[in-house]
Amino acid sequence: MSRKAVFISGAARGIGRATAERFASAGYFVGLYDIDADGAAHAAKEIAATGEDTTTSGALDVADPAAWRARLEQFWSASGGRLDVLVNNAGILTTGDFAEVPLVRHTAIVEVNFRGMLNGCHTAFPYLKRTPGAVVVNVCSASAMYGVPGLATYSATKAAVRSMTEALDLEWSRQGIRVCDVLPTFVATDMGAVSMPGTRIKRLSGSLTAEQVAKAVFAAAEHRPRLPHPHRIVGRRTQATAVVNRLVPSWVTREMFNRLSR
């Protein structure tokens, strides 16, 4: 198969589905994978309605390395032996005071948000290495810049994703693989709606949509920056936060996040 191929985790809805639609519209062969296999299959069917053999889908628990191995093998065969782009998008969050959120939920957030990305990168490496010009795009978060109260574990996992992105971009450049991430503010998707109070997510998200983040993911995969830089800032609020982090004392950033999260 001559057309490029993209593998997307957490693709049944929200940012993942919007990302699948964006890549499909550009002519990519798209693999939609999610722990909700029926949701991924439904999304793949709707996207495939625009053309023949444009998608494949399957169940994927990103915290399970064996599931990654099975899905990547299936995708490699379906795509004709290509993995041009890996999008690590799957993620979960819960808001609340750290001590009041059950420990099992904190552990689940770490398993999905960080270990899921780690599993994906490690398992996909042989396929990425065999595809010239391959790219990994990790969906990160503005909360990676400074920990957000009420989202302590979520912020910590995204900071880990940001750090892993930087390290792998340096390490895998020797293999011809580029690794980058996108850092949006919180987006009003189903995940946020069920996990965060309405007033809080409005303050933290602004007007950013899943489609805007998907556009940024596609741009990160397609456009190599003139100067190597693994991070793509998404949304005015995130851009403002990045500027604040560079130009003002740390206590100002601390107070800004404190006010936003109340």
Side-chain angles (χ1 to χ4, degrees):
M1 185 177 293
S2 60
R3 60 184 167 185
K4 291 183 177 181
V6 58
F7 184 114
I8 306 169
S9 69
R13 57 186 58 82
I15 292 172
R17 171 159 180 169
T19 300
E21 292 171 349
R22 180 66 186 85
F23 276 93
S25 70
Y28 274 72
F29 179 79
V30 183
L32 296 89
Y33 297 92
D34 200 287
I35 197 166
D36 176 9
D38 291 340
H42 179 71
K45 183 177 180 180
E46 290 193 341
I47 293 171
T50 62
E52 295 183 2
D53 297 326
T54 57
T55 65
T56 186
S57 68
L60 175 62
D61 177 357
V62 295
D64 180 3
W68 272 104
R69 288 191 290 270
R71 296 289 78 77
L72 281 164
E73 183 177 352
Q74 178 263 332
F75 175 81
W76 183 259
S77 176
S79 69
R82 297 189 69 137
L83 177 56
D84 296 272
V85 183
L86 168 66
V87 179
N88 285 306
N89 167 72
I92 60 174
L93 65 82
T94 296
T95 188
D97 290 342
F98 177 80
E100 294 180 1
V101 175
L103 183 58
V104 66
R105 185 60 178 176
H106 288 294
T107 302
I109 293 170
V110 173
E111 288 288 298
V112 174
N113 295 4
F114 179 65
R115 189 181 176 197
M117 181 275 301
L118 187 154
N119 287 340
C121 288
H122 196 277
T123 311
F125 177 72
Y127 301 103
L128 294 164
K129 187 178 178 181
R130 293 167 62 184
T131 309
V135 183
V136 177
V137 183
N138 296 319
V139 177
C140 196
S141 166
S143 67
M145 298 179 184
Y146 199 96
V148 180
L151 289 165
T153 302
Y154 178 83
S155 296
T157 60
K158 292 303 183 179
V161 168
R162 188 174 191 267
S163 181
M164 180 71 82
T165 297
E166 294 169 348
L168 290 184
D169 186 46
L170 290 170
E171 184 177 328
W172 286 3
S173 64
R174 306 162 197 164
Q175 311 292 338
I177 303 168
R178 185 163 57 89
V179 184
C180 57
D181 58 29
V182 295
L183 288 85
T185 50
F186 294 96
V187 181
T189 61
D190 290 344
M191 178 181 76
V194 300
S195 304
M196 301 177 68
T199 54
R200 177 174 285 184
I201 195 169
K202 286 180 181 178
R203 286 198 301 271
L204 291 173
S205 66
S207 59
L208 200 61
T209 66
E211 288 71 25
Q212 288 173 302
V213 179
K215 182 179 178 180
V217 171
F218 181 79
E222 284 283 300
H223 305 135
R224 183 182 296 272
R226 293 182 180 178
L227 297 176
H229 188 64
H231 308 302
R232 180 175 288 266
I233 307 300
V234 186
R236 293 180 179 179
R237 184 164 291 175
T238 316
Q239 292 169 352
T241 302
V243 171
V244 167
N245 276 347
R246 291 196 301 266
L247 299 180
V248 306
S250 60
W251 67 266
V252 176
T253 305
R254 179 182 185 277
E255 184 59 22
M256 180 179 69
F257 274 90
N258 184 36
R259 289 176 180 274
L260 283 173
S261 63
R262 286 176 182 170

